[in-house]
Amino acid sequence: MTTVPAAAPSSGPGYTSSDAQALSAAPARPRPAPPGPVTAALTFAWRALLKIRRIPEQLSDVIAVPVVFTLLFTYLFGGALAGSPHRYLQFLLPGTLVMAVLLATMYTGVNLNGDLAKGVYDRFRTLRIWQPAPIVGALIGDALRYLLASALVTGLGLLLGYRPHGGVGGVLIAIALVVVFAVALSWVFTLLGLVLRSASAIMSLAVVVLFPLTLASNAFVEPGTMPGWLRAVVHANPVTQLVTTTRAAMDGTVTAVQIATVLAASAALVAVFGPLTMRAYRRHE
Amino acid sequence: MEAAAELAIQATGLTKRFAATVALDGVDLTVPAGTIYGFLGPNGAGKTTTLRILATLLRADSGTARVLGHDVAREPDAVRARISLAGQSAALDEDLTARENLRVLGRLIGHHSRASRSRAQELLDAFGLADAADRPVKTWSGGMRRRLDLAASLIATPELLFLDEPTSGLDPSSRAQVWDTVRALAEAGTTVLLTTQYLDEADRLAARIAVIDHGTVIAEGTPGDLKAATGAGQLHVQLAAPEQAPQAAAALRRVLDLPVRPGTDPGSLSVAGPAADQAALAVAHLHRNSIPVAAFALARPSLDEVFLALTTRAADDSADPAKEPVV
């Protein structure tokens, strides 16, 4: 009688082999041809929407921030800056639209960083798909969030008495430009999401960058009364260009050059931060 | 004996360094196709790093690796088209339901909407997860998540499955379920590279085992090879009368010339390392001296003992710069 503890029979205590039988009932499936870039990116966009449906509270940033900022700025500064909240709103609304949507871009980095920490992307990266698809798909999902924020700001503005002279077409052009620029700016945050270690690091950096960027612009006041050096900063700030164009679109006075400038600035952001993001993504360990 | 095409994995001299730490210090690995191959080592030995390099998630600093005939660094897409990854380093979307997880992955593998839906259902049924399929994964138990993770890696049957510590943290019955699934897969022709720190897991599943420690493979072979290489096993004796233990110990020592240790039960004794025929003589000697024996056993060394012997040897060998940085 020789017992061999190390090579004991394979079944553990209380175990039934139903699993192995069941597995053979799930037939092997050959691998289909890999999806094209569009299918892959749209699948990731669908994933982003599923996540929003499961945790709708993550939309609070694109719901609460725009509403709070629009109300706060209108009634806090309206009387002092323009004589009345109603009159200030005519100037302010395109500015809050830009600020609300640009502030939402930081969550692109925060969400990507969280996904990477959980290891979900390990599985994605072992799939034979167009490599930028996970990030492009996430940005499509973000574009929808930006649209939601835009619709809220605009809707609230109309409710409070904002009257865009550019009509429906002007408003749609304005929103489209803001969303395009925000998606382009999001590539900065995808890079930060990959390079920085934690979500809180991204948030603090984002606050340091985004608040000066949006406040040191013509979003809330005309730069006429500012000291010369600040005026220079405001004029050099790409957000100023975006706000001017957005305002012009809503007023119905936008020019093709203004639109082209915003699109060019967006393209430049993607051209620089897109490849940097993908490089960091491929090298992410 | 086999042509190169029969090798699922062929890695030579893989090195990888993270900042000041040497994670891999020249890993060689040859895994024949169609088997379960155990990759065994303590935490931080380099198992997961090796696996991530082979699964195209990491680039080695030097060395080459071919997976299913394709170079992992130069032809990652060809490798990705034929492998799957599951275990601790893979993961699921916790916010989504199981069905949503499987459907998203099904689309990403290339199934059309309807095929990804039906494959998800098929896998949920096969893995006994259908009842919980529409609950978010974050509400699931660890064992169920691990089964879903395994299911997710089988949406398209891979030629090679990387399993990174698939049962760490699972209760015994969940472990046994994962084991049987892995066996069934291997029987159907999938090669499995399984990393584990559990020796019994490697022993039960793997046809061959490589032992890794401090970023190098320190032993390789079948479980039997490894046990044989570390020497003989243990003789356990249970005396009918526990009070005879002192005489019995003396008698065993006389015959075997080896140290005799008392066991945990009263009247039980064990001797490490006797050859089988010597052990038989020793038990006969007890009988001749009127010391009745209730039971005895000659155990081969467990892989735990093999592993301890191997890694202790490596640790004694202090010429390892990765382990002992000279400051």
Side-chain angles (χ1 to χ4, degrees), chain A residues 1-283:
Chain A
M1 51 160 273
T2 300
T3 58
V4 186
S10 63
S11 35
Y15 162 69
T16 62
S17 67
S18 63
D19 229 36
Q21 288 157 6
L23 185 73
S24 50
R29 279 284 180 91
R31 197 172 290 229
V38 175
T39 307
L42 288 178
T43 304
F44 280 103
W46 175 46
R47 168 178 178 264
L49 293 184
L50 287 173
K51 287 184 90 125
I52 291 175
R53 208 178 73 189
R54 291 290 160 199
I55 26 172
E57 52 280 23
Q58 64 167 289
L59 285 179
S60 59
D61 58 301
V62 291
I63 294 174
V65 172
V67 170
V68 169
F69 273 105
T70 306
L71 290 175
L72 202 64
F73 280 110
T74 303
Y75 292 103
L76 195 67
F77 299 136
L81 291 178
S84 82
H86 182 260
R87 206 182 304 158
Y88 182 49
L89 188 63
Q90 296 302 316
F91 174 81
L92 170 76
L93 194 98
T96 46
L97 174 65
V98 167
M99 185 181 195
V101 175
L102 293 195
L103 284 183
T105 58
M106 74 171 94
Y107 294 96
T108 301
V110 172
N111 291 341
L112 178 62
N113 189 272
D115 268 355
L116 288 164
K118 284 182 205 136
V120 175
Y121 272 70
D122 277 350
R123 180 163 267 138
F124 296 153
R125 291 202 305 152
T126 57
L127 295 172
R128 190 182 176 184
I129 48 173
W130 183 51
Q131 288 294 294
I135 292 169
V136 172
L139 289 180
I140 296 173
D142 285 332
L144 294 173
R145 290 167 3 105
Y146 303 156
L147 275 176
L148 177 64
S150 305
L152 273 171
V153 172
T154 312
L156 184 62
L158 292 173
L159 218 63
L160 296 176
Y162 176 69
R163 293 296 171 260
H165 298 297
V168 176
V171 170
L172 291 183
I173 291 172
I175 289 177
L177 288 174
V178 172
V179 171
V180 165
F181 186 84
V183 169
L185 186 66
S186 295
W187 285 95
V188 175
F189 288 99
T190 54
L191 177 62
L192 293 179
L194 283 158
V195 174
L196 297 182
R197 271 168 212 279
S198 69
S200 59
I202 300 163
M203 298 278 270
S204 10
L205 191 61
V207 167
V208 169
V209 172
L210 284 178
F211 271 97
L213 204 63
T214 45
L215 288 174
S217 74
N218 60 347
F220 304 103
V221 286
E222 289 287 8
T225 60
M226 298 174 189
W229 63 268
L230 185 56
R231 230 178 305 159
V233 171
V234 167
H235 280 302
N237 184 351
V239 174
T240 301
Q241 189 61 49
L242 179 63
V243 170
T244 305
T245 308
T246 307
R247 206 167 264 152
M250 288 197 160
D251 289 343
T253 61
V254 72
T255 65
V257 175
Q258 283 178 313
I259 293 177
T261 309
V262 170
L263 294 180
S266 306
L269 279 170
V270 177
V272 172
F273 290 98
L276 287 176
T277 294
M278 286 319 300
R279 205 176 86 122
Y281 180 66
R282 275 192 297 273
R283 294 187 173 190

